[in-house]
Amino acid sequence: MTEAGFTPRVFSGIQPSGNLHLGNYLGALKRFADAQNKGVQSIYCMVDLHAVTVWQDPVELRHSTRELTAGFIASGLDPAKSILFNQSQVAEHTQLAWVFNCVARMGWMQRMTQFKDKAGKNAQNASLGLFAYPALMAADILVYHATHVPVGEDQKQHLELTRDIAIKFNNDFGVDFFPITEPVIEGTGTRVMSLRDGSKKMSKSDPSDMSRINLTDDADTIARKIRKAKTDPEPLPSEVKGLEERPEARNLVNIYAALADMSVDQVMAEVGGKAFSEFKPMMADLAVEKLAPISGEMSRLMQDVNEIDRILAEGAGRARAIAAPILRQTYEIMGMVGPREI
Ligand code: AMP
Ligand code: TRP
């Protein structure tokens, strides 16, 4: 139980909108697997309804949803232990999202930096769904009364909004119904930077494929991308402090630490003072050892899409069993007339 009396429950989501990359793996998937393996009830969602807030080709969306599911399983998520499903199969998400559209304020949404980034200069032309995106995200989490949400740094603001929505709902109706969810943003993998520019986040939208390692890359490609990663001419410093002001070196050390399950201090004790010509091959070996089996397993799983669809449908059933009573109670609190319990 949490202090407020909620059973600990982890929820997180990833959009099926293109290739999974090392940032998604270290910032999200790997940490999801860690939570599952600690025995906390874990619910993970392919957020297809979030993906369509910007245009998605239907054939690609279907493929990406299945490939993302394969990526989850290949990263160690076990459909027998965690609930894995795609968002559009559980209607309670969008039903609660409507309620939250009525709780959240325009001013709160206007402050969201992800909206500003994604809408770009022409915000008038962005979809209404893109603007309301964080209210759907709050519904994803709160329709399960989830208490903990592991995500990368970039989602922090959305999780603060989720807390604001829960607090306002509880205050407006004088209840303690929704938990005040804890973001779980910790470790060296929560902000993986581009391999070409240490000041930019590794991202699927970067036009340069050399900027990221995709989970579908084979061993040779992974090793080549690390060998070519941008660095400065100096060898690695001998102490952690020396990484300040050296964003590319810092990023490679962080990635190494996250892949090896080591702290930055431990990594520096091992590799401090080495030239990149020595460190990069070590790093390439480690990355290939950890990532190549994932891409292999993903392509194996993708050969049987019926099995993937079965896993998603089964997960959706288990998710709905938790979400439906919580939505019904929400409606009840708000005064909606509904079926009587017999
Ligand atoms: P997205 O692909 O934007 O749906 O992100 C899915 C998950 O991966 C979220 O938890 C993000 O915070 C995380 N993520 C995305 N990019 C990175 C990155 N460069 N470093 C760490 N985590 C990331
Ligand atoms: N907005 C998240 C992202 O872009 C994806 C997401 C949707 C999510 N719903 C969520 C993450 C609920 C955590 C919990 O990465």
Side-chain angles (χ1 to χ4, degrees):
M1 287 282 174
T2 62
E3 255 171 57
F6 289 94
T7 311
R9 186 178 281 155
V10 171
F11 180 95
S12 197
I14 300 188
Q15 299 188 56
S17 52
N19 279 345
L20 279 172
H21 54 72
L22 182 66
N24 298 133
Y25 176 68
L26 295 176
L29 291 169
K30 183 170 185 292
R31 298 169 54 231
F32 299 172
D34 293 343
Q36 165 195 277
N37 297 335
K38 279 192 204 135
V40 190
Q41 184 182 33
S42 310
I43 307 175
Y44 298 116
C45 185
M46 327 295 139
V47 290
D48 46 11
L49 295 168
H50 276 111
V52 298
T53 55
V54 299
W55 167 253
Q56 301 294 329
D57 176 82
V59 174
E60 279 171 27
L61 179 64
R62 193 170 290 121
H63 174 80
S64 300
T65 303
R66 290 169 174 153
E67 193 173 73
L68 177 58
T69 311
F72 268 81
I73 299 170
S75 302
L77 288 149
D78 175 353
K81 289 190 189 146
S82 297
I83 298 181
L84 302 183
F85 71 107
N86 58 313
Q87 193 182 25
S88 57
Q89 291 205 62
V90 181
E92 282 77 5
H93 289 239
T94 35
Q95 292 175 289
L96 187 62
W98 178 259
V99 172
F100 289 169
N101 282 345
C102 302
V103 174
R105 307 289 94 184
M106 294 286 284
W108 300 1
M109 306 310 250
Q110 267 154 356
R111 285 196 288 274
M112 295 293 114
T113 55
Q114 185 171 304
F115 175 76
K116 290 189 229 172
D117 291 348
K118 284 200 179 179
K121 288 199 182 71
N122 199 356
Q124 289 300 313
N125 206 29
S127 72
L128 188 53
L130 190 66
F131 190 65
Y133 178 116
L136 177 59
M137 178 160 163
D140 296 339
I141 297 165
L142 295 174
V143 84
Y144 300 101
H145 277 184
T147 54
H148 295 84
V149 182
V151 279
E153 272 278 321
D154 55 356
Q155 294 302 311
K156 199 170 173 185
Q157 198 186 29
H158 286 158
L159 292 181
E160 278 158 13
L161 187 96
T162 300
R163 293 162 68 95
D164 290 341
I165 288 178
I167 291 168
K168 183 162 175 7
F169 182 96
N170 288 347
N171 278 340
D172 286 353
F173 294 99
V175 289
D176 259 329
F177 184 63
F178 287 117
I180 312 306
T181 302
E182 289 295 332
V184 186
I185 306 174
E186 57 198 28
T188 43
T190 52
R191 194 164 162 78
V192 177
M193 309 309 280
S194 156
L195 298 180
R196 308 300 309 162
D197 178 349
S199 68
K200 278 201 329 213
K201 201 178 71 159
M202 183 177 287
S203 148
K204 57 187 144 207
S205 56
D206 194 314
S208 163
D209 195 55
M210 292 301 284
S211 71
R212 66 185 155 257
I213 294 174
N214 302 306
L215 286 196
T216 46
D217 286 344
D218 60 21
D220 285 349
T221 312
I222 297 171
R224 184 164 46 87
K225 286 179 175 174
I226 290 178
R227 271 199 318 273
K228 299 235 157 130
K230 185 177 165 203
T231 49
D232 53 42
E234 303 295 319
L236 283 168
S238 50
E239 285 175 42
V240 179
K241 213 156 56 75
L243 290 170
E244 283 165 25
E245 316 289 323
R246 293 181 64 187
E248 282 84 15
R250 164 109 231 171
N251 188 37
L252 294 185
V253 169
N254 275 349
I255 293 175
Y256 189 96
L259 282 171
D261 277 318
M262 287 163 77
S263 68
V264 170
D265 286 329
Q266 287 168 324
V267 173
M268 289 304 282
E270 194 180 308
V271 305
K274 285 194 195 305
F276 282 106
S277 56
E278 202 181 336
F279 175 54
K280 278 182 169 178
M282 287 172 67
M283 189 164 161
D285 286 349
L286 175 67
V288 167
E289 178 197 321
K290 300 282 181 183
L291 302 176
I294 298 179
S295 75
E297 180 65 1
M298 277 173 78
S299 38
R300 193 188 66 76
L301 290 163
M302 282 303 279
Q303 281 162 18
D304 188 356
V305 292
N306 289 335
E307 173 61 9
I308 291 184
D309 292 2
R310 194 197 59 73
I311 288 169
L312 291 174
E314 199 246 354
R318 287 160 64 203
R320 202 175 306 116
I322 303 172
I326 292 178
L327 179 73
R328 214 179 314 119
Q329 289 172 65
T330 310
Y331 280 172
E332 179 73 32
I333 289 168
M334 298 174 77
M336 311 283 180
V337 175
R340 304 243 148 236
E341 303 289 343
I342 305 166

